[in-house]
Amino acid sequence: MNPIKNLLTLVFLATVIQSSSAQGKNELSFNATGTFKIAQFTDIHYKPGVPESEPLVELIKYILETEKPNLVAFTGDIVTGRPATDGWKAVLAPVVEAGIPFAVTLGN
């Protein structure tokens, strides 16, 4: 086992738990089968107002409905067009509506 990787994972999860609790969101917990599922979306390069980007939001919705994750992680280059605020609202909307805790790590 890689101790640095384990430490980073622990810090990541502790930050998410603290952030979720502070915002009154659902707290992290195992599901009914005793597992903890993370959905990760990375480098999706969403551009608001660009028709080619719209299927990405539908794909996020589909994955959330199908996989029912306990946590969603957005990593890398998520929103790469302007206005960025509109892009983030669109990308995060399915996760917020589902009440799933999430974390974001920007860039590479």
Side-chain angles (χ1 to χ4, degrees):
M1 300 196 113
N2 182 337
I4 299 292
K5 185 177 180 181
N6 291 342
L7 178 61
L8 290 174
T9 302
L10 181 60
V11 169
F12 170 76
L13 290 175
T15 303
V16 170
I17 292 168
Q18 182 180 12
S19 175
S20 296
S21 298
Q23 296 176 14
K25 304 280 185 188
N26 294 335
E27 291 191 25
L28 297 178
S29 60
F30 290 89
N31 64 25
T33 63
T35 59
F36 188 86
K37 189 180 286 191
I38 299 172
Q40 179 183 8
F41 300 100
T42 188
D43 293 319
I44 63 174
H45 294 268
Y46 183 87
K47 295 178 177 93
V50 176
E52 292 81 12
S53 287
E54 293 311 314
L56 294 171
V57 174
E58 294 305 314
L59 180 60
I60 291 170
K61 288 179 188 177
Y62 174 78
I63 290 171
L64 297 180
E65 291 168 3
T66 304
E67 296 298 327
K68 300 186 184 347
N70 302 92
L71 173 69
V72 175
F74 291 95
T75 61
D77 300 323
I78 303 302
V79 176
T80 55
R82 293 190 176 166
T85 303
D86 292 349
W88 279 107
K89 285 179 183 176
V91 169
L92 294 177
V95 180
V96 171
E97 289 169 10
I100 302 169
F102 65 91
V104 177
T105 303
L106 300 175
N108 296 318

